[in-house]
């Protein structure tokens, strides 16, 4: 445990921290519908292509330069979910029938779902994608085990698990160095007898647990090209109110926000975005500058309320879920031109 460092990088409430004024401009991605639950932007690549969920017939879309593409399911299915996108504009997720609810892991190419063949799976979904076309995700085997996998050149490779009593793992993200992150059950039980979960890093053919403090479980969600991993810590036997957004870097874990939160997106500059689970705004973390509420970075007099963020690209563009009045849906936050920023704040 000497390698575990719990550092609270935001001891002040989000609203008390200095931030550039109007550093971002918020834009609706697809036509909003009244009320909550009308979709969310899930992923963005460096070219600015955004993919996410919406209230269209099949449930998912990709958008670029004002052009919307509705993602199509596999034959016989009627619904899709999108999770990630690479620089080639290919997205990953799953296709399913709302009658059987059986999911099939897919890659979306030119808007159409292409299946990943996993013969041993009764259910599968894809979560991450690199630029070479390697896909990571999770499938359910016929014996009920959930298994993290990587799909490469038409072949499926199981990544294994950290525990043996119950073999259960899931893969969430992959970088272009073939490093994979996710979470797995371990054999250790919580004081109430529940199975503990550990974030993992898979590289060079081996899965290793990421540092996690005593009394906590952990989940990893994404990794950047520098090997920095994000996710959350989970206090044993507690509710989501005890989740804490976390960053693993050089063998240490840091708490990014001492509020109920989780980290969902990271770029190669180490900028992190995510959700504050007990309030609105989400968060934006920048190395050396700490954590800010996303709503502190926009002009709220425009009527916008950013609820949470899902991803950030190398240009600093952020996507997630937001509302303008009673209209809610997928939102894109673009960095404002320098002339629109207040240079005296956050310096």
């Amino acid at each position: 445990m000497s390698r575990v460092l719990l550092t609270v990088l935001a001891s002040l409430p989000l609203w008390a921290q200095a931030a550039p004024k109007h550093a971002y401009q918020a834009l609706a991605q697809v036509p909003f519908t009244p009320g909550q639950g009308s979709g969310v932007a899930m992923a963005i690549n460096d070219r600015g292509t955004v993919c996410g969920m919406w209230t269209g017939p099949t449930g998912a879309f990709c958008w670029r330069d004002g052009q919307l593409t509705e993602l199509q399911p596999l034959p016989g299915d009627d619904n899709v979910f999108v999770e990630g996108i690479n620089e080639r504009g290919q997205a990953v997720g799953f296709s399913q029938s709302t009658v059987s609810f059986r999911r099939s892991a897919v890659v979306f190419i030119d808007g159409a779902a292409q299946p990943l063949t996993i013969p041993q799976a009764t259910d599968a979904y894809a979560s991450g994608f690199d630029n070479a076309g390697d896909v990571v995700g999770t499938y359910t085997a016929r014996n009920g085990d959930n298994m993290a996998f990587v799909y490469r050149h038409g072949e499926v490779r199981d990544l294994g698990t950290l525990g043996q009593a119950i073999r259960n793992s899931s893969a969430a993200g992959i970088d272009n160095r073939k490093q994979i992150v996710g979470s797995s059950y371990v054999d250790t039980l919580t004081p109430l007898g529940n199975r503990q979960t550990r974030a993992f890093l898979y590289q060079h053919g081996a899965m290793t647990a990421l540092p996690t403090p005593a009394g906590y479980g952990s989940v990893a969600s994404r990794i950047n090209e520098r090997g920095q991993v994000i996710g959350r810590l989970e206090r044993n036997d507690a509710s989501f109110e005890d989740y804490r957004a976390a960053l693993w870097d050089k063998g240490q874990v840091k708490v990014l926000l001492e509020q109920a939160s989780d980290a969902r997106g990271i770029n190669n500059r180490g900028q992190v975005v995510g959700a504050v689970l007990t309030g609105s705004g989400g968060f934006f973390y920048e190395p050396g500058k700490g954590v800010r509420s996303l709503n502190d970075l926009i002009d709220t007099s425009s009527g916008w309320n950013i609820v949470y963020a899902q991803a950030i690209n190398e240009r600093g563009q952020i996507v997630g879920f937001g509302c303008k009045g009673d209209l809610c849906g997928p939102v894109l936050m673009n960095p404002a031109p320098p002339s629109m920023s207040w240079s005296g704040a956050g310096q």
Side-chain angles (χ1 to χ4, degrees):
M1 296 309 298
S2 62
R3 299 181 64 195
V4 176
L5 175 64
L6 274 176
T7 303
V8 176
L9 297 176
S11 58
L12 296 176
L14 289 178
W15 60 85
Q17 300 184 44
K21 187 178 182 180
H22 307 168
Y24 276 85
Q25 296 172 301
L27 301 169
Q29 284 298 279
V30 298
F32 281 10
T33 57
Q36 302 287 324
S38 57
V40 56
M42 297 292 294
I44 182 169
N45 66 12
D46 294 340
R47 298 181 179 182
T49 303
V50 179
C51 296
M53 311 306 299
W54 70 315
T55 53
T58 66
F61 71 92
C62 286
W63 175 97
R64 186 182 180 189
D65 297 331
Q67 182 175 352
L68 186 73
T69 299
E70 185 176 355
L71 301 183
Q72 300 300 313
L74 296 173
D77 290 347
D78 56 9
N79 185 257
V80 294
F81 188 94
V82 62
E83 183 79 15
I85 185 173
N86 66 9
E87 294 309 310
R88 297 159 65 184
Q90 300 168 327
V92 292
F94 64 79
S95 172
Q96 73 172 359
S97 165
T98 53
V99 176
S100 67
F101 291 103
R102 183 184 186 275
R103 298 175 295 182
S104 299
V106 298
V107 175
F108 297 99
I109 300 176
D110 296 327
Q114 306 294 325
L116 304 182
T117 303
I118 309 176
Q120 64 270 43
T122 61
D123 184 86
Y125 62 91
S127 302
F129 205 20
D130 72 6
N131 293 335
D134 287 2
V135 180
V136 297
T138 308
Y139 74 83
T140 301
R142 293 184 177 87
N143 64 0
D145 289 350
N146 292 320
M147 188 61 59
F149 72 84
V150 59
Y151 190 92
R152 180 176 297 154
H153 304 308
E155 296 184 357
V156 179
R157 177 185 299 176
D158 291 352
L159 303 185
T161 69
L162 295 172
Q164 300 304 316
I166 296 180
R167 295 178 56 80
N168 187 308
S169 62
S170 61
I174 182 173
D175 67 10
N176 290 313
R177 299 162 60 193
K178 309 302 182 185
Q179 297 180 113
I180 301 168
V181 295
S183 58
S184 172
Y185 280 173
V186 295
D187 291 335
T188 305
L189 299 178
T190 69
L192 295 183
N194 296 313
R195 190 68 53 180
Q196 279 195 345
T197 301
R198 287 285 185 276
F200 71 73
L201 171 66
Y202 182 94
Q203 59 182 344
H204 310 307
M207 179 185 291
T208 57
L210 292 172
T212 301
Y216 285 83
S218 56
V219 173
S221 56
R222 290 289 184 262
I223 182 171
N224 67 11
E225 304 305 315
R226 297 163 59 186
Q228 296 174 309
V229 180
I230 58 166
R232 67 176 183 261
L233 301 179
E234 304 176 344
R235 188 184 297 276
N236 286 345
D237 302 317
S239 70
F240 73 90
E241 294 181 353
D242 287 289
Y243 290 178
R244 294 294 182 265
L247 168 69
W248 285 267
D249 188 18
K250 298 177 181 177
Q252 297 179 332
V253 59
K254 301 177 182 180
V255 171
L256 297 181
L257 181 62
E258 195 53 73
Q259 292 177 243
S261 55
D262 62 6
R264 301 181 179 185
I266 186 171
N267 62 19
N268 291 330
R269 288 183 282 174
Q271 295 173 321
V272 181
V273 296
V276 178
L277 303 177
T278 53
S280 189
F283 73 86
F284 173 86
Y285 163 78
E286 189 164 12
K289 296 183 179 180
V291 174
R292 304 162 186 160
S293 169
L294 291 173
N295 282 325
D296 287 343
L297 303 182
I298 64 171
D299 180 5
T300 54
S301 68
S302 65
W304 277 100
N305 172 43
I306 306 301
V307 182
Y308 59 85
Q310 286 288 135
I312 182 170
N313 68 9
E314 299 307 313
R315 297 159 61 185
Q317 295 176 294
I318 299 168
V319 294
F321 178 77
C323 297
K324 194 170 185 179
D326 66 347
L327 301 179
C328 300
V331 64
L332 166 66
M333 294 175 61
N334 283 322
S339 61
M340 297 185 63
S341 296
W342 177 35
S343 61
Q347 300 298 313

